Amino acid sequence: MDDNIKIGVYVCHCGHNIASTVDVEEVAQQARMLGNVGVSRDYVYMCSSKGQNLIKQDIMQLGINRVVVAACSPRLYEQTFQNVLRESGLNPYLLQIANVREQCAWVHEPGLQATEKANRLVHGAIRRVSHHSPVEEQSVPVFPATLIIGGGIAGIQAALEIANSQHVVYLVEREPSIGGHMAQFDKTFPTLDCSACILTPKMNEVSRNPYIRLMTYSEVVDVSGYVGNFAVKVKRKARYIDEDKCVGCGICQEKCPWSTASEFDAGLGLRKAVYTPFPQAIPNIPVIDRERCVYFLKGKCRACEKVCEAQAVNFEQEDMYIDLHVGSIIVATGYDVFDPTPIVQYGYGRLPNVFTSLEFERLCSPSGPTGGQLKLVSGRTPASVAIIHCVGSRDQNYNAYCSRVCCMHSLKYSHLFKEKTGGEVYQLYIDMRCAGKAYEEFYERVQGEHVHFIRGKLASIAASVTDAEEDNLILTCEDTLLGNMINISVDMVVLCVALEPRHDAEQLSHILRLGRSHDGFFLERHPKLDPVATMSEGIFVVGCCQGPKDIPDTVAQASAASARALAMISKGKMEMGAITASVDEGVCSGCKVCNALCPYGAIFFDETSHVSRVNQVLCKGCNVCGAACPSGAISTRNFSAIQILAEIEGVLA
Amino acid sequence: MSFEPKIVAFLCNWCSYAGADLAGVSRTKCSPNVMSIRLMCSGGLEPAFVLKAFKEGADGVLVCGCNLGDCHYIDGNYKTLMRMTLLKKLVKQLGIEDERVRLQWVCASCAEDFVQAVNTITNDVKALGPYRQTKINAEAEASRI
């Protein structure tokens, strides 16, 4: 072993936390006898400033050049001790932590065995640190433009935050208009302000802001590059309407003879083949739906072209691909609603007057298919409604998670139904979850409106056979508070369906190299301490694509993500993780095994020198490549094979 | 004195190591025979590490990674899964009982899973008895480990 290596070992008592289980003096004593150990001490709190100073003094006065701290988990104080080394003029990576608290003292009974294990862990750290070498941290410049994928409330909020600080934003939305799900809602809980009234001013702001480049009817198809310098390819689907010429008069929509179900009205209303999803659409420029337009299907019609005074209709338009250069990406792709058809006993799609929550929103909305009048399929005003919670949520058969917004919007529905019809409202809930500012108060308010709250899960819905004209539905459910089965007869049923990940979330996760959690939502970097960033540096997730949440939480997260993007822009550069892989080009045989394995596409093959190389900015240091390299040519800094093998020797010595 | 096995556990930094830490934070007791070594990803586990552990006198090896689908490096643990399947065959050929090598997914909040894996492998290896080095010595002489 290299004689110039002089290791300092510092065993922490952590008050009584470690010392009551492990004989810390014995551990320090044992370490002292090992090769290359210059000094070994124990101290009551190593993380205190006194403890830190002990290390600093030894580095300065005794020439200690490697440090082992036997204390709590490296996940807690590794950075603190790295700073101690940095401040003492040592490279921070010449440190190794032996975790003798969480993974020793706290999980074992006091005694010899715990002390022996601590000895082994410290011995492993000592052997390992002898093979540590300085690692340099790197930084990359950040291009001051941001891409936002998705133009719902999350994307709109993030775009405005960034654009208002005078930085360029590309807002890409796949539908013909921005607005997302929020534009479909009637009222918002708990304040009952009209959704369109608070959203449309923001949508207008987006269209007016000179720093926002709005691309609707467009999709991100490819992303390459890395934090600070992403190259993005956006597909602008052909609108068949010239955006520069169209004045948004709407005459084409009026004259188009072909109709189809409106996606915006959740399939309850009709739209034309040339359409804007809703009257307040931004941009107010229609698209021609290739799948529905009879000219595209049969080669005849072109009615819209004839009536367009601005001569904006152009059937020759083709999809365009646009390349963008951005420094960071905010993903705000939102959610899909659960399709309750598979729950056959609820009769959705089979029984008339069983609606999903989104359909009910459209029925309540003044811009909806019924002009805001609550009507049954027969045209009669319903005298009663049952609102079913947790359809597809909190259900092991579909989604185990809670969709978070349904309790609150079902309370809103109760209120709206009472307001519009004065009829009876039954709420079938499992638990009422009304956590949020003024949410519980809203619950109390609705309770005061003579709504029947029944705690129980709906078993089935059947059409009434006795009175066919009265389009009644018979609900069978368990009332768990009374402890018996009950039947309820109602005119209308609203299924509060789950919020699910977008059906194509997996595809986007591949394009952006994002992780996804169990439930399919995009995975944040840390569930509590970093719920905005992702493991892909420079890519942030906001709104329901990260998990179900309501509008206030979505807006807060969107603002947080834009603050992070702006922080990167204002700093102008980005520090990268120092733990990355590198290829020993003298050893690499050029077999390319590692190329395909890298989850981040960070390894490329240099055709001229016939070796693989690692892009240091893209690499995250997982060592998947290193473990696979048949020549042992790849090693990951601070987690190299030599270091791990030494640690194995140490813990087993 | 009864046989106390020496077992090395390789834990990924993001889920398993955090899960093992959580066992400590919640003061769940487990057998003291398992020494953890932190890797960034279970997919970064070189098969040589496992063989090295046996060569240095380990009686068992436990490998832990994130649950499938939860890997912080997107799909590193799928590579672990494939490699461990092969590795179990390899150790068998080297004369090591394959029960001495275990793979267990441990999420960051799954302290119980970790504790159970630690206790199970300890008990099972105790029942198997100490690992007596056989072919691996000769193999190891010839290779870089």
Side-chain angles (χ1 to χ4, degrees):
Chain A
M1 204 168 281
D2 189 344
D3 287 339
N4 296 324
I5 290 174
K6 216 169 167 190
I7 304 170
V9 180
Y10 302 89
V11 185
C12 181
H13 297 208
C14 194
H16 293 300
N17 278 300
I18 298 170
S20 64
T21 311
V22 171
D23 185 344
V24 281
E25 280 123 30
E26 165 74 9
V27 173
Q29 172 71 29
Q30 288 286 327
R32 209 166 289 142
M33 295 191 284
L34 297 171
N36 290 75
V37 173
V39 63
S40 177
R41 303 180 192 279
D42 60 278
Y43 184 69
V44 62
Y45 287 112
M46 278 318 301
C47 59
S48 67
S49 51
K50 261 190 160 177
Q52 295 185 29
N53 280 334
L54 268 179
I55 304 177
K56 278 186 197 165
Q57 277 169 15
D58 287 349
I59 293 172
M60 313 263 199
Q61 291 166 9
L62 303 179
I64 293 297
N65 54 20
R66 299 284 190 285
V67 175
V68 168
V69 180
C72 55
S73 171
R75 295 170 59 86
L76 291 173
Y77 283 134
E78 189 170 42
Q79 286 189 353
T80 306
F81 291 112
Q82 281 185 333
N83 273 335
V84 172
L85 269 67
R86 199 177 276 126
E87 285 162 14
S88 319
L90 269 190
N91 185 285
Y93 291 87
L94 299 174
L95 165 82
Q96 179 66 14
I97 307 272
N99 183 348
V100 295
R101 193 178 74 171
E102 281 82 352
Q103 297 194 15
C104 185
W106 279 355
V107 283
H108 305 316
E109 302 295 345
L112 280 177
Q113 275 196 311
T115 304
E116 193 204 323
K117 176 168 167 181
N119 272 331
R120 290 186 176 282
L121 292 174
V122 171
H123 198 162
I126 290 170
R127 290 277 185 105
R128 188 190 205 277
V129 85
S130 314
H131 294 279
H132 280 207
S133 45
V135 177
E136 294 310 322
E137 282 156 346
Q138 38 178 351
S139 67
V140 289
V142 172
F143 190 80
T146 308
L147 167 72
I148 298 176
I149 309 175
I153 181 60
I156 289 172
Q157 178 72 20
L160 288 173
E161 295 272 11
I162 296 172
N164 285 338
S165 59
Q166 304 190 333
H167 291 289
V168 172
V169 176
Y170 299 98
L171 180 57
V172 176
E173 165 62 49
R174 85 168 138 199
E175 298 298 329
S177 168
I178 56 170
H181 279 109
M182 190 177 167
Q184 292 176 274
F185 300 158
D186 175 32
K187 299 272 171 64
T188 54
F189 59 77
T191 44
L192 296 176
D193 33 8
C194 139
S195 186
C197 311
I198 53 177
L199 180 65
T200 44
K202 277 191 172 283
M203 290 165 60
N204 280 318
E205 238 182 294
V206 167
S207 70
R208 282 199 315 269
N209 194 308
Y211 290 94
I212 300 181
R213 316 269 189 270
L214 181 58
M215 290 182 228
T216 54
Y217 214 44
S218 304
E219 285 182 58
V220 171
V221 289
D222 189 44
V223 173
S224 58
Y226 43 82
V227 56
N229 296 280
F230 289 106
V232 180
K233 196 180 274 300
V234 176
K235 176 185 176 182
R236 300 209 71 178
K237 292 179 276 187
R239 269 188 130 89
Y240 305 106
I241 304 281
D242 191 325
E243 290 183 47
D244 297 328
K245 289 184 185 166
C246 177
V247 294
C249 68
I251 187 94
C252 52
Q253 302 188 55
E254 209 175 291
K255 299 293 180 192
C256 175
W258 310 104
S259 295
T260 184
S262 158
E263 296 86 356
F264 185 77
D265 279 335
L268 295 179
L270 294 174
R271 65 157 170 86
K272 295 296 181 63
V274 52
Y275 73 107
T276 51
F278 52 105
Q280 303 81 12
I282 298 287
N284 186 21
I285 298 166
V287 297
I288 297 178
D289 181 352
R290 241 194 113 94
E291 311 285 311
R292 301 288 168 197
C293 171
V294 167
Y295 172 68
F296 282 111
L297 296 175
K298 294 184 178 157
K300 270 187 195 162
C301 182
R302 299 179 83 129
C304 47
E305 194 177 31
K306 286 168 205 144
V307 296
C308 180
E309 284 181 14
Q311 296 186 318
V313 178
N314 175 9
F315 286 102
E316 310 303 316
Q317 242 183 35
E318 284 177 1
D319 295 347
M320 279 196 306
Y321 290 89
I322 293 176
D323 292 311
L324 306 177
H325 183 197
V326 297
S328 57
I329 299 175
I330 296 176
V331 185
T333 50
Y335 61 94
D336 281 342
V337 288
F338 172 73
D339 173 10
T341 320
I343 311 181
V344 285
Q345 63 271 31
Y346 289 181
Y348 176 75
R350 178 165 51 84
L351 298 171
N353 305 320
V354 176
F355 297 100
T356 66
S357 35
L358 195 58
E359 288 167 350
F360 190 77
E361 293 280 357
R362 294 313 299 153
L363 289 178
C364 288
S365 168
S367 69
T370 56
Q373 302 292 312
L374 278 178
K375 289 270 192 313
L376 296 171
V377 175
S378 62
R380 183 169 65 84
T381 303
S384 55
V385 67
I387 299 168
I388 318 298
H389 293 227
C390 304
V391 177
S393 322
R394 305 185 69 199
D395 183 338
Q396 295 298 335
N397 298 315
Y398 302 99
N399 298 301
Y401 56 83
C402 165
S403 290
R404 277 188 65 184
V405 295
C406 326
C407 283
M408 286 309 293
H409 73 52
S410 66
L411 291 172
K412 175 185 77 177
Y413 296 163
S414 301
H415 176 84
L416 292 177
F417 190 85
K418 283 272 177 193
E419 191 177 71
K420 285 175 191 283
T421 71
E424 292 298 313
V425 179
Y426 299 89
Q427 290 253 5
L428 271 64
Y429 68 99
I430 302 178
D431 298 292
M432 288 305 293
R433 294 183 168 177
C434 307
K437 193 169 182 178
Y439 286 11
E440 185 68 20
E441 292 85 336
F442 185 66
Y443 178 27
E444 276 176 29
R445 174 180 166 185
V446 174
Q447 280 178 315
E449 293 174 358
H450 305 290
V451 171
H452 306 281
F453 285 88
I454 298 165
R455 185 175 182 275
K457 187 139 170 98
L458 176 65
S460 65
I461 305 175
S464 164
V465 286
T466 51
D467 207 349
E469 283 175 358
E470 277 295 324
D471 41 33
N472 261 12
L473 298 162
I474 311 287
L475 276 59
T476 308
C477 81
E478 185 189 8
D479 186 327
T480 57
L481 296 180
L482 290 177
N484 56 12
M485 298 299 287
I486 56 169
N487 288 323
I488 309 164
S489 170
V490 290
D491 287 340
M492 183 188 255
V493 171
V494 180
L495 304 175
C496 294
V497 289
L499 274 50
E500 288 190 324
R502 286 282 187 195
H503 59 281
D504 52 359
E506 185 178 2
Q507 204 183 327
L508 191 62
S509 78
H510 289 310
I511 293 176
L512 295 170
R513 300 195 175 90
L514 289 183
R516 294 199 302 153
S517 47
H518 257 340
D519 45 28
F521 291 104
F522 294 132
L523 190 65
E524 62 289 324
R525 182 180 279 259
H526 190 283
K528 279 168 254 170
L529 303 179
D530 206 349
V532 174
T534 64
M535 283 307 289
S536 292
E537 211 69 65
I539 302 185
F540 304 98
V541 282
V542 301
C544 290
C545 67
Q546 183 252 337
K549 54 180 70 65
D550 56 17
I551 296 169
D553 285 2
T554 298
V555 169
Q557 202 183 15
S559 298
S562 41
R564 296 284 286 272
L566 284 170
M568 283 167 53
I569 292 171
S570 83
K571 198 172 179 188
K573 62 177 185 176
M574 185 75 195
E575 270 85 32
M576 304 301 302
I579 298 171
T580 54
S582 61
V583 178
D584 183 340
E585 294 181 11
V587 180
C588 175
S589 64
C591 70
K592 299 190 194 175
V593 159
C594 53
N595 292 208
L597 279 175
C598 177
Y600 301 96
I603 309 182
F604 60 98
F605 189 71
D606 185 338
E607 294 291 348
T608 46
S609 50
H610 287 276
V611 291
S612 291
R613 293 219 168 92
V614 180
N615 181 328
Q616 295 298 312
V617 183
L618 287 179
C619 177
K620 300 264 173 269
C622 63
N623 196 43
V624 161
C625 53
C629 178
S631 319
I634 306 182
S635 90
T636 298
R637 289 181 188 84
N638 222 36
F639 282 87
S640 72
I642 295 173
Q643 291 165 353
I644 305 291
L645 292 172
E647 190 174 354
I648 297 171
E649 280 174 18
V651 297
L652 292 168
Chain B
M1 201 176 133
S2 68
F3 163 56
E4 289 296 340
K6 285 181 282 182
I7 297 163
V8 177
F10 295 98
L11 312 182
C12 81
N13 180 51
W14 303 99
C15 294
S16 315
Y17 200 86
D21 275 355
L22 184 63
V25 173
S26 40
R27 309 295 198 279
T28 317
K29 301 293 177 220
C30 65
S31 87
N33 303 65
V34 177
M35 274 81 67
S36 299
I37 290 181
R38 183 167 67 122
L39 302 173
M40 289 307 279
C41 178
S42 63
L45 174 88
E46 299 191 17
F49 297 170
V50 177
L51 301 183
K52 172 76 170 178
F54 283 114
K55 181 175 175 269
E56 295 298 325
D59 300 297
V61 172
L62 175 65
V63 178
C64 299
C66 309
N67 282 314
L68 289 175
D70 281 352
C71 178
H72 273 255
Y73 299 104
I74 302 175
D75 55 5
N77 49 3
Y78 280 93
K79 281 137 196 166
T80 317
L81 182 63
M82 290 189 280
R83 280 181 199 145
M84 288 300 289
T85 313
L86 273 175
L87 190 66
K88 278 190 149 234
K89 290 193 172 170
L90 177 71
V91 294
K92 224 171 169 177
Q93 285 169 2
L94 292 172
I96 305 169
E97 299 94 330
D98 64 353
E99 297 99 308
R100 294 186 189 272
V101 183
R102 295 282 166 89
L103 175 64
Q104 172 71 43
W105 306 133
V106 174
C107 81
S109 56
C110 305
E112 278 302 319
D113 288 352
F114 180 73
V115 167
Q116 204 182 352
V118 163
N119 290 339
T120 312
I121 192 171
T122 308
N123 291 336
D124 292 356
V125 169
K126 268 186 188 170
L128 278 173
Y131 160 63
R132 302 195 193 290
Q133 299 192 3
T134 51
K135 273 195 203 171
I136 194 168
N137 285 336
E139 298 278 338
E141 286 300 310
S143 77
R144 72 186 180 106
I145 61 159

